[in-house]
């Protein structure tokens, strides 16, 4: 029995476990992008097109401005990409 909730998670975490630092970092970035998209779409699915047109930093800013993530979380996510 898998410890992951879906095949997407299983694939990503399997790839991270078997990867070098850079690959793990890039996969982690993609996981965060996916989670941010899920957060904004659960808030309002009409934001999808606009959200997908934004840079990573602006996606975090948007989600934070909507009150969907706290300021400290937004700050930490922003600091990772700088």
């Amino acid at each position: 029995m898998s410890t992951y909730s879906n095949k997407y998670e299983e694939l990503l975490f399997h790839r991270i476990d078997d990867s070098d630092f850079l690959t793990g970092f890039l996969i982690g970035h993609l996981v965060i992008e996916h989670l941010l998209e899920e957060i904004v779409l659960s808030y309002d699915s009409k934001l999808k097109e606009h959200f997908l047109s934004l840079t990573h930093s602006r996606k975090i800013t948007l989600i934070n401005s909507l009150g969907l993530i706290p300021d400290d979380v937004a700050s930490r996510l922003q600091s990772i990409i700088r």
Side-chain angles (χ1 to χ4, degrees):
M1 174 111 194
S2 176
T3 59
Y4 305 109
S5 62
N6 61 52
K7 292 288 183 184
Y8 181 72
E9 251 184 37
E10 188 174 343
L11 171 69
L12 289 173
F13 285 102
H14 173 73
R15 293 297 309 147
I16 289 171
D17 288 342
D18 295 337
S19 67
D20 59 26
F21 176 76
L22 181 58
T23 303
F25 180 83
L26 292 173
I27 291 170
H29 178 83
L30 293 174
V31 169
I32 291 171
E33 284 275 337
H34 174 72
L35 293 173
L36 293 175
E37 183 178 342
E38 291 295 317
I39 290 169
V40 81
L41 294 180
S42 69
Y43 174 76
D44 186 346
S45 62
K46 295 176 197 159
L47 291 172
K48 183 174 184 169
E49 189 174 328
H50 173 66
F51 181 80
L52 293 176
S53 73
L54 300 174
T55 64
H56 187 71
S57 179
R58 290 180 186 235
K59 288 175 181 178
I60 296 166
T61 301
L62 171 66
I63 291 174
N64 180 243
S65 71
L66 295 171
L68 302 175
I69 58 173
D71 292 341
D72 62 327
V73 172
S75 178
R76 282 189 219 120
L77 288 171
Q78 293 285 13
S79 70
I80 292 170
I81 61 172
R82 290 188 186 147

